[in-house]
Amino acid sequence: MPPPPPTGEPKRRRLLSLMAVYPCESIAPAPLFSSLLTLAADLASQGRLSPDAGDFPVLRRGLRQAVRIAGLLLAFLEEIQDVTVTKTAALPSSAVLGLMELHVAMQKLRFLLSDCARRGARLWVLVNAGLAASELRVILGSVAAAVDALPKDVVDASVDAGELARLMSEHAWRAAVRPDAGDERAARSVRSILEQFKSGVSPDAEDARRVLEHIGVRSWSDCSEEIAFLEDELRTRLDGGAGGDSSSSSDAVLINSLMAFMVYCRVVLFDQIDANPKADAASRPPARCPDWLRPETLQCPITLDLMKDPVTVSTGQTYDRESITRWIKAGCRTCPVTGGRLRTADVVPNAALRGIIERMLLSNGVSLPDRSSSGHRHGALGDTAVAFGPAAAGAARLAVAYIVAQISTGSTAERRKATCEARKLCKHSVFYRACLVEANAVPWLLCLLSSTDASVQDNAVACLLNLSKNPRGRAALFEAGGVGLVVDVINVGARAEARQNAAAVLFYLSSNAEHAEEIGRIPEAIPTLVQLIRDGAHRGRKNAMVSLYGLLQCASNHCRAVAAGAVAALAGLLLPVSVVDRDDDLASDAVTLLARLAEQPAGAQAVLARPGLVARVVEALATSSASRSGKDHCVALLVSLCRHGGDKVVALLGRMPGLMSSLYTLVADGSPQTCKRARALLNLIHRHYEMDGQPASAAASEAGERVVRVL
């Protein structure tokens, strides 16, 4: 039985892994010669565009020789072109074989030149200069051997052709390909600095600066490019080294160390963040969509943003992976565009569309974020399976110590830059979060919440949000008395982003029941969240709702939330289905929070006292677009209202049109938990009306009979 076709995204080529496609044996000489001519012209043009090979951080002499040899090959091919084209049918097999070998060598040389000139990969190429030199030596040897194997009548097609072939062979055989002396000095400096990191010693800044100068890293954004590339390279090795390959593991440790080295350099050596990371971006033409493709096809139909990781669902529609995954996890089993039922939750990467998007962005100097074929994205260093080695750990601690010193005693500009660095480092990396907490960064960040500089305040709040994901970070924030300061930012933060992030901080702090109770005792805490739910932007409302949900794990906070007007604020989000501006995402969250509030008598009474709110919940339950989790919370809310409201509420629900039909549908098609709750609610309603000797509703028995027939 043949193996199933692969469903994941093809693995990307590793840097300095020079793969080539060998032409098929039956290829006609004419297309082979034409393709080889194009390859040689492409390689030779690199020498004309960069005569000093300034784009190559290492192996400058060897790569210049390779470009010159490609130029000689181009001239040779142009010289013999007329003779070869007229004799294509009569070319001997040895000539075709020689051209094929040249074609393979030129493919590999193109990959090597591209890798060595790649922005962001300069440090990695430096530490692998020996491997690059070895690959170049093999390529040039293959070129010389292929030229020597060409038949004499082809080589001697003209006097110039013979001279060019001789020069090319001589240059290729005699090329002294080895790392330059400057490359070796820079590589030794990198190794020495890593050894100092292992000992916890800060290296001489000039030594690090000389390394960066040698490879052409001259700005903060250049450092960021190097870090981003190393992250991608690490991810590639982790995705491909699941079998525990020792070489991949050692490479991963080295990449971790180099990333930490570049982070240290970015933090310590550069005083300011580039205003324009791509200095030449303005001179580039804007990225254009191909003429045969409509621009809107590159947007995710859910978010209307450019797709970063396009995937196709069973209906044939393409979405961004993150958006459609969120849609499916919410319990929706229909295609958002067509409305058709999804036969499976599996998605298939749309490699063709991703390639188009990637080429568009690369033409404008922007790289598309990499995604692993499993759909899981590794974070930065601390979130990977590879632990920090001694060098990486030492560099991280030294960088964090420098950042904390700048935050505590620096000027406003220094604090702005330091908080930005801290924000970037702790966003994904568990290790950097732990280092910042260990370095006592939390109290200093709390001091900056009252900064008059909006950027400093934004960065400080974002840092605290990430540090609050760390248990010790949460403890440090409470010990420093920072909850009140966070609440103040929700109230009077300079920017909406700061207010939204401050609300999210309370969510992580409320993960502990004791902390939730302590937060609730702060007079402004819950009213501030309710105000943000009422007046905030989309993200601010969501953050406020999840934070309030966490605080409601403490029973005493229910009364405080009701007193603060939480039910009225949530009812304002649960608009009728017919309203055009209704936000289904916020409405679903509002029902979830109302269900949590209704678990206590005070919350249930407040919901019942709100005019029209119960009817809107029933309407939301009957909506076909509602997610499974949303319907589950609707039923849970109604059950809680019946439990606390008694027979009056049961009677009210029994008279509501459409409710019984919706409940029977959930009994048949809902999740186990929803089915159980719907059945309990049906039993309550039927029992109430059986005691009164009346039917629940005209449609109830009919709906019940339909479900029985289906089951």
Side-chain angles (χ1 to χ4, degrees):
M1 182 176 179
T7 58
E9 185 176 343
K11 296 292 184 184
R12 292 194 173 194
R13 183 181 66 88
R14 288 186 186 181
L15 204 78
L16 301 181
S17 173
L18 310 180
M19 298 177 291
V21 177
Y22 200 86
C24 63
E25 294 181 1
S26 59
I27 188 172
L32 174 62
F33 189 89
S34 175
S35 177
L36 180 57
L37 196 63
T38 302
L39 263 176
D42 181 38
L43 293 170
S45 68
Q46 297 196 27
R48 288 194 292 270
L49 294 174
S50 302
D52 297 327
D55 288 339
F56 301 125
V58 299
L59 293 178
R60 291 179 173 87
R61 178 185 297 176
L63 294 174
R64 277 201 299 267
Q65 289 178 314
V67 170
R68 281 198 296 268
I69 290 171
L72 290 173
L73 175 61
L74 175 63
F76 171 73
L77 293 174
E78 290 173 341
E79 190 66 31
I80 66 171
Q81 183 174 14
D82 293 338
V83 176
T84 307
V85 169
T86 56
K87 294 184 178 180
T88 49
L91 274 181
S93 59
S94 58
V96 175
L97 181 61
L99 294 176
M100 292 168 71
E101 291 294 338
L102 282 173
H103 196 281
V104 171
M106 290 299 104
Q107 289 182 64
K108 292 184 176 182
L109 181 57
R110 182 168 62 176
F111 275 132
L112 183 61
L113 293 177
S114 173
D115 288 349
C116 289
R118 179 172 173 176
R119 289 185 63 86
R122 296 167 183 266
L123 182 62
W124 184 241
V125 173
L126 174 66
V127 297
N128 287 281
L131 172 62
S134 176
E135 294 285 2
L136 182 56
R137 200 176 300 118
V138 171
I139 291 171
L140 294 183
S142 299
V143 170
V147 171
D148 291 347
L150 290 174
K152 185 175 177 58
D153 59 337
V154 173
V155 173
D156 293 337
S158 69
V159 176
D160 289 342
E163 183 63 21
L164 287 168
R166 185 188 63 78
L167 281 174
M168 186 167 34
S169 174
E170 184 177 323
H171 278 254
W173 282 123
R174 294 185 179 180
V177 181
R178 64 177 66 89
D180 299 339
D183 299 338
E184 294 177 343
R185 280 195 302 272
R188 282 197 302 270
S189 294
V190 172
R191 290 191 291 270
S192 173
I193 289 171
L194 295 182
E195 287 298 321
Q196 292 177 67
F197 284 150
K198 289 181 182 179
S199 305
V201 177
S202 297
D204 189 314
E206 286 306 312
D207 289 344
R209 208 180 297 276
R210 276 193 291 270
V211 171
L212 299 189
E213 184 64 30
H214 178 77
I215 60 176
V217 174
R218 298 181 177 89
S219 65
W220 185 93
S221 59
D222 287 345
C223 281
S224 296
E225 279 187 328
E226 295 288 320
I227 294 167
F229 165 78
L230 291 168
E231 273 195 300
D232 284 344
E233 196 71 13
L234 177 60
R235 191 180 303 120
T236 301
R237 277 160 170 71
L238 292 177
D239 289 342
D245 181 72
S246 59
S247 63
S248 292
S249 177
S250 60
D251 278 352
V253 172
L254 175 60
I255 293 171
N256 257 340
S257 300
L258 296 176
M259 279 175 69
F261 166 71
M262 291 308 302
V263 166
Y264 177 86
C265 291
R266 190 181 71 182
V267 167
V268 175
L269 300 184
F270 298 101
D271 297 332
Q272 59 183 5
I273 298 172
D274 303 23
N276 182 8
K278 302 281 186 183
D280 57 341
S283 62
R284 292 193 182 99
R288 291 183 66 254
C289 181
D291 295 335
W292 50 269
L293 193 66
R294 297 194 311 274
E296 57 267 22
T297 60
L298 306 182
Q299 298 174 337
C300 175
I302 298 175
T303 63
L304 299 182
D305 291 330
L306 185 69
M307 287 184 277
K308 299 175 183 175
D309 189 14
V311 294
T312 303
V313 297
S314 58
T315 60
Q317 295 293 323
T318 298
Y319 303 91
D320 189 63
R321 184 189 294 275
E322 184 177 351
S323 302
I324 194 63
T325 300
R326 194 185 309 120
W327 171 271
I328 293 172
K329 283 185 176 179
C332 301
R333 289 296 182 268
T334 57
C335 176
V337 171
T338 66
R341 188 169 183 82
L342 297 176
R343 296 189 301 273
T344 174
D346 295 335
V347 296
V348 179
N350 191 331
L353 187 57
R354 180 187 169 98
I356 293 171
I357 296 172
E358 189 167 35
R359 283 194 295 274
M360 258 184 57
L361 294 180
L362 287 175
S363 70
N364 206 31
V366 181
S367 60
L368 193 62
D370 191 20
R371 299 292 179 100
S372 66
S373 58
S374 64
H376 171 73
R377 177 182 170 187
H378 297 289
L381 295 177
D383 287 343
T384 64
V386 181
F388 266 49
R397 290 191 177 96
L398 289 170
V400 164
Y402 185 89
I403 288 172
V404 174
Q406 293 285 297
I407 290 174
S408 59
T409 62
S411 64
T412 299
E414 289 171 337
R415 284 176 168 173
R416 191 183 302 123
K417 198 252 182 184
T419 52
C420 178
E421 292 284 8
R423 179 178 185 172
K424 283 182 170 293
L425 294 178
C426 68
K427 183 173 182 179
H428 298 296
S429 173
V430 174
F431 187 82
Y432 275 107
R433 287 177 203 156
C435 287
L436 283 162
V437 173
E438 189 180 289
N440 204 32
V442 171
W444 293 111
L445 290 169
L446 288 171
C447 292
L448 298 184
L449 294 185
S450 58
S451 173
T452 55
D453 186 288
S455 295
V456 171
Q457 186 187 66
D458 273 355
N459 291 333
V461 175
C463 287
L464 290 171
L465 171 59
N466 292 317
L467 296 182
S468 65
K469 300 173 185 177
N470 182 297
R472 292 176 59 196
R474 292 193 290 272
L477 205 154
F478 265 97
E479 290 170 5
V483 179
L485 296 172
V486 173
V487 172
D488 288 342
V489 174
I490 302 176
N491 264 323
V492 296
R495 293 176 181 166
E497 183 183 9
R499 297 192 292 272
Q500 294 162 2
N501 285 335
V505 171
L506 293 187
F507 167 71
Y508 288 103
L509 296 180
S510 65
S511 60
N512 180 292
E514 294 180 2
H515 290 171
E517 185 173 0
E518 186 175 339
I519 294 171
R521 285 199 293 265
I522 298 175
E524 301 87 1
I526 291 178
T528 297
L529 291 175
V530 172
Q531 184 67 29
L532 187 58
I533 292 172
R534 185 181 295 112
D535 301 330
H538 179 89
R539 183 183 162 204
R541 286 173 165 175
K542 285 187 70 70
N543 288 353
M545 282 193 279
V546 296
S547 297
L548 185 56
Y549 187 89
L551 293 176
L552 291 179
Q553 67 177 302
C554 176
S556 60
N557 287 336
H558 283 248
C559 293
R560 297 185 180 109
V562 171
V567 173
L570 295 169
L573 299 178
L574 194 60
L575 299 172
V577 177
S578 58
V579 175
V580 177
D581 294 335
R582 170 187 165 98
D583 189 322
D584 290 336
D585 192 21
L586 291 178
S588 177
D589 289 347
V591 171
T592 302
L593 203 46
L594 287 170
R596 188 68 177 260
L597 281 168
E599 292 172 359
Q600 299 294 325
Q605 293 302 322
V607 172
L608 291 169
R610 188 73 187 174
L613 181 54
V614 176
R616 275 183 250 165
V617 173
V618 172
E619 184 185 26
L621 182 62
T623 305
S624 60
S625 61
S627 65
R628 285 196 175 193
S629 61
K631 292 184 178 183
D632 180 56
H633 289 301
C634 284
V635 177
L637 172 57
L638 296 177
V639 170
S640 295
L641 294 179
C642 290
R643 185 170 67 249
H644 296 299
D647 290 342
K648 289 184 179 181
V649 177
V650 176
L652 172 66
L653 294 180
R655 292 193 298 271
M656 285 194 166
L659 175 61
M660 303 299 286
S661 178
S662 298
L663 292 176
Y664 277 117
T665 302
L666 290 175
V667 169
D669 298 333
S671 65
Q673 188 177 27
T674 306
C675 175
K676 181 179 178 180
R677 287 172 173 165
R679 187 179 287 114
L681 189 54
L682 283 168
N683 290 338
L684 280 174
I685 296 173
H686 281 300
R687 192 178 301 118
H688 172 80
Y689 282 99
E690 285 172 1
M691 292 175 63
D692 288 350
Q694 301 174 7
S697 70
S701 57
E702 183 183 346
E705 290 175 4
R706 283 201 306 270
V707 173
V708 168
R709 286 198 298 271
V710 171
L711 295 176

